Amino acid sequence: MNVGSLLPLHARYRPGHLAMVCEEERLSFEELEIRVNRLANALVRLGVGKGDKLAIVLPNCSELLFAYRAAALLGIVAVPLSPLLRGAGLISLLRDSESTAVIASCSLIDALDEMRRELSGLAADHCILVGDGNHSPYRSFTDFVARESGDAPSAVEIDGSDIYNIVYSSGTTGSPKGIVHTHDIRGAYCTMFAGSFRFTPESVVMHAGSLAFNGSFVTLMPAWYLGCTYILHQKFDASEFIETVAREKVTHVMMVPSQIVAVMNAPNFSGAKLESLRMLCSVGAPWHREHKERLLQSLPGSLYELYGLTEGFITILDCRDFAAKIDSVGCPIAFSEMRIISAEGNELPAGEVGEITGRGPMLMPGYYKRPDLTDEAIVDGWLHTGDVGFADSDGFLHLVDRKKDMIISGGINVFPKDIEEVIVQHPAVREVAVYGIPDDKWGECPVAAVILVRPGEVTGEELKLWTNARVAARYQQIHDVVIADEFPRNAAGKTLKRVLRETHGQMAATA
């Protein structure tokens, strides 16, 4: 089994079905296969083949989708990297992944010059640039594929255990790690998510977040599997998102909570415009109850939430359980198991808080070239997530918080999510992020950064007093509130609390 076999299947049996939409480009499966074959044949001619690492450093564009498909067809290992990376960060990931070829945006041409000085194995003719502008001394993507045949390249023997991706962790809490995904694992993404989210071959899938983010594969792979129409936005715009859903009758979308909040606050937001949605799923960060309840009124029966790690453990809160279990993140998907364990490694009963561990068909074989980190993360076949939660009496997982975000104040564990759930109820607050800063007396104390619905509607001091009057315990009282225009985010849209913590003093001074 390999995911490269899916495009030829649909191109043969559903050639005229709309396969892909990206801005003005609309391709049937027959047309898409020709475009992918041209890139695949060009890569073969270049000498890039099975097992070689192909770094893809592109913003959302059709060429990125072609590259994912061509890599799958040839047994090439696709290494998606954030197009926001530059300098030492990009060089370190290219070196770690052992990438021998790069498809990148023209905007990275200066960075490529620096990379090639540092990476002796990366030849200029193995760097292919997408977009208008100067390409010299590198290849233009357009020229690279122009003379190639649209016929299928020679068949490559690809086994399910062969690597398809190395996906680097988001780096929200430290140095990124290369997470290995095989063709079997991506095949499990195809079937498991298609079933869990009720995809059909007639589904219309849209994605407006970064395709370099592993969460994008949650909807991309079922679309590949069933031959759905896949709509890719080059960048997220809340108003345009709404209009596209209405115009194209989109049925399935996956979004991070910050995008969902932006959609709910867009001037053209309405349940009627989004009525075609059969699945709107939150992923990547905790989704606060206040926002869930608001959206549930407009889209009853369509909301899902996914909790999971790229390393391979997933729970899903199904649309039919959403209202009744709104504070949970669902239950493990089929063929998966979950345990909540104590610090000593003992399984805990329902209702008791501990570390979330799990195993199932999407579990990574390991971190690339890091058996030491793999052995820390996977113990006796169980993935230790580093996240804290509990299972209720029905077995549904309740995420207390990310273990790495936990604040220890006066020896007491303080979970930012508990405080965020209070602050987000204030009508002036659009988004909130709570994190800890050093404190001479308590070790750490909680502070909050907030984005307001309308600038100037409330002061930080007013929010602080309002919050501290409502939190459940004295140790949850916040020390300070910083009003921010925007939060630092990674390519996946996740708020970088690490950066907020590091720059707190500067933020407080300018607030």
Side-chain angles (χ1 to χ4, degrees):
M1 182 174 70
N2 70 81
V3 293
S5 66
L6 296 172
L7 178 57
L9 176 77
H10 297 301
R12 180 176 183 181
Y13 296 109
R14 307 178 75 207
H17 189 78
L18 181 62
M20 190 194 89
V21 179
C22 184
E23 302 304 308
E24 302 304 315
E25 195 166 31
R26 304 174 74 89
L27 300 176
S28 68
F29 276 110
E30 183 176 37
E31 293 166 332
L32 176 59
E33 185 183 38
I34 290 170
R35 300 286 288 275
V36 170
N37 285 345
R38 284 176 177 160
L39 175 57
N41 286 319
L43 289 168
V44 170
R45 188 181 299 275
L46 188 63
V48 181
K50 181 179 176 181
D52 291 332
K53 316 303 189 302
L54 172 66
I56 306 167
V57 197
L58 291 172
N60 287 2
C61 58
S62 56
E63 290 85 357
L64 195 158
L65 288 172
F66 301 157
Y68 279 169
R69 294 273 199 177
L73 197 62
L74 297 174
I76 292 170
V77 180
V79 184
L81 300 175
S82 169
L84 303 178
L85 284 168
R86 294 292 189 278
L90 182 55
I91 291 169
S92 68
L93 296 188
L94 289 170
R95 178 182 290 116
D96 186 76
S97 65
E98 301 174 305
S99 293
T100 58
V102 177
I103 300 178
S105 168
C106 278
S107 64
L108 266 73
I109 190 165
D110 293 336
L112 279 172
D113 292 339
E114 180 183 357
M115 288 185 323
R116 289 188 53 245
R117 286 193 293 269
E118 296 286 335
L119 302 168
S120 57
L122 187 60
D125 66 347
H126 279 56
C127 299
I128 301 110
L129 298 186
V130 175
D132 297 328
N134 178 32
H135 301 96
S136 179
Y138 309 112
R139 292 175 179 265
S140 156
F141 185 93
T142 302
D143 294 342
F144 183 59
V145 301
R147 296 185 179 86
E148 298 297 336
S149 168
D151 295 335
S154 298
V156 177
E157 187 78 23
I158 302 171
D159 186 78
S161 61
D162 288 327
I163 300 174
Y164 173 55
N165 279 133
I166 299 174
V167 178
Y168 280 87
S169 60
S170 60
T172 54
T173 55
S175 300
K177 301 180 287 289
I179 299 162
V180 172
H181 281 174
T182 64
H183 281 260
D184 274 344
I185 290 172
R186 288 309 188 196
Y189 269 59
C190 289
T191 56
M192 302 303 293
F193 289 133
S196 296
F197 295 126
R198 300 172 173 85
F199 281 75
T200 73
E202 291 71 45
S203 296
V204 179
V205 184
M206 183 166 73
H207 190 72
S210 171
L211 273 179
F213 164 44
N214 187 65
S216 67
F217 287 86
V218 172
T219 53
L220 180 64
M221 300 317 297
W224 281 22
Y225 170 52
L226 291 174
C228 308
T229 298
Y230 190 83
I231 301 172
L232 179 64
H233 274 193
Q234 290 186 340
K235 61 181 179 180
F236 174 72
D237 177 270
S239 294
E240 179 56 29
F241 172 91
I242 293 168
E243 295 305 319
T244 303
V245 171
R247 182 178 63 251
E248 302 283 355
K249 306 302 180 190
V250 173
T251 60
H252 290 71
V253 295
M254 174 77 68
M255 306 173 76
V256 295
S258 61
Q259 292 174 328
I260 296 173
V261 172
V263 166
M264 289 193 295
N265 285 282
N268 58 338
F269 171 75
S270 73
K273 282 189 176 272
L274 302 178
E275 66 180 358
S276 64
L277 288 179
R278 297 294 172 263
M279 180 271 259
L280 189 158
C281 184
S282 173
V283 68
W287 189 10
H288 297 305
R289 179 173 184 153
E290 176 79 8
H291 297 143
K292 293 180 187 180
E293 290 177 337
R294 282 178 57 197
L295 194 57
L296 194 59
Q297 294 174 6
S298 299
L299 296 172
S302 299
L303 303 185
Y304 296 75
E305 183 169 6
L306 183 149
Y307 161 76
L309 283 75
T310 304
E311 285 88 342
F313 175 67
I314 306 290
T315 68
I316 294 174
L317 178 58
D318 186 76
C319 61
R320 297 188 180 181
D321 299 316
F322 198 92
K325 293 289 186 179
I326 197 167
D327 291 321
S328 84
V329 289
C331 51
I333 60 174
F335 308 115
S336 299
E337 297 178 87
M338 177 180 71
R339 290 178 181 172
I340 309 299
I341 63 170
S342 66
E344 294 74 30
N346 300 317
E347 186 172 1
L348 296 172
E352 290 198 25
V353 174
E355 184 180 8
I356 303 162
T357 67
R359 62 184 180 184
M362 298 181 188
L363 185 63
M364 67 173 182
Y367 295 112
Y368 188 58
K369 300 189 302 186
R370 292 302 303 266
D372 55 331
L373 295 179
T374 302
D375 290 342
E376 289 177 14
I378 302 175
V379 180
D380 296 328
W382 290 84
L383 176 66
H384 288 237
T385 67
D387 292 336
V388 178
F390 67 91
D392 64 22
S393 58
D394 296 318
F396 283 66
L397 176 64
H398 293 248
L399 183 63
V400 174
D401 220 317
R402 307 294 187 183
K403 190 174 181 180
K404 306 175 187 74
D405 289 338
M406 186 173 66
I407 302 163
I408 302 177
S409 184
I412 298 173
N413 293 341
V414 181
F415 295 103
K417 186 171 180 286
D418 293 338
I419 306 171
E420 291 168 352
E421 291 283 8
V422 173
I423 300 175
V424 80
Q425 294 177 44
H426 193 288
V429 173
R430 175 175 165 175
E431 285 190 73
V432 58
V434 171
Y435 51 95
I437 61 170
D439 182 86
D440 291 339
K441 182 177 181 180
W442 302 108
E444 284 186 299
C445 65
V447 298
V450 300
I451 300 173
L452 299 179
V453 175
R454 288 176 291 275
E457 191 170 359
V458 67
T459 67
E461 183 64 21
E462 289 169 338
L463 267 179
K464 172 185 165 183
L465 294 173
W466 185 91
T467 302
N468 288 345
R470 288 166 174 79
V471 290
R474 184 177 179 85
Y475 57 79
Q476 293 175 327
Q477 293 186 346
I478 51 178
H479 178 74
D480 192 15
V481 174
V482 176
I483 308 295
D485 294 328
E486 187 51 86
F487 291 156
R489 306 185 197 272
N490 65 12
K494 295 182 185 178
T495 298
L496 296 172
K497 289 189 177 183
R498 168 175 50 84
V499 177
L500 287 174
R501 189 179 301 112
E502 293 169 353
T503 60
H504 176 79
Q506 180 182 351
M507 289 174 59
T510 57

